Amino acid sequence: MEKVTKKEINIEIDDKVASGTYANMVVVNHSDSEFVLDFISIMPGMPKARVVSRMILSPQHAKELMQNLSSNLYQFEHDKELPTDEEVFGKQAHFSTSGEA
């Protein structure tokens, strides 16, 4: 079996990106080759919303993002002793998987 060696990556971030962008909604669409995540800022009671950032991911990177978010949410809920989705919604908890870019 081949030994896998991990390489360190030096990641830089400019000040504008580091300050972040607020979004309170995300719309996910996909095609055969990519997933598109539109992060949206919407004000309550306003009929208009604005996409503040768009991320385009390969299916593999979308899956890695989903796994990373799931792991982090689990740890967050565990640390805060919050109820799990299953405890809140029951065994039938799921989210819509429809979408096409």
Side-chain angles (χ1 to χ4, degrees), residues 85-87 89-94:
D85 285 347
E86 189 173 296
E87 292 170 330
F89 301 113
K91 293 186 185 282
Q92 301 269 331
H94 70 280

Side-chain angles (χ1 to χ4, degrees), residues 6-7 12-13 17-18 21-22 24 26 34 59 79 84 92:
K6 292 188 177 185
K7 296 180 182 179
E12 296 182 4
I13 187 168
V17 174
T21 301
Y22 179 77
N24 53 4
V26 64
E34 60 193 17
D79 291 349
T84 64
Q92 301 269 331

Side-chain angles (χ1 to χ4, degrees), residues 14-32:
D14 66 42
D15 291 341
K16 185 176 180 182
V17 174
S19 66
T21 301
Y22 179 77
N24 53 4
M25 185 170 125
V26 64
V27 175
V28 180
N29 291 293
H30 69 276
S31 68
D32 289 341

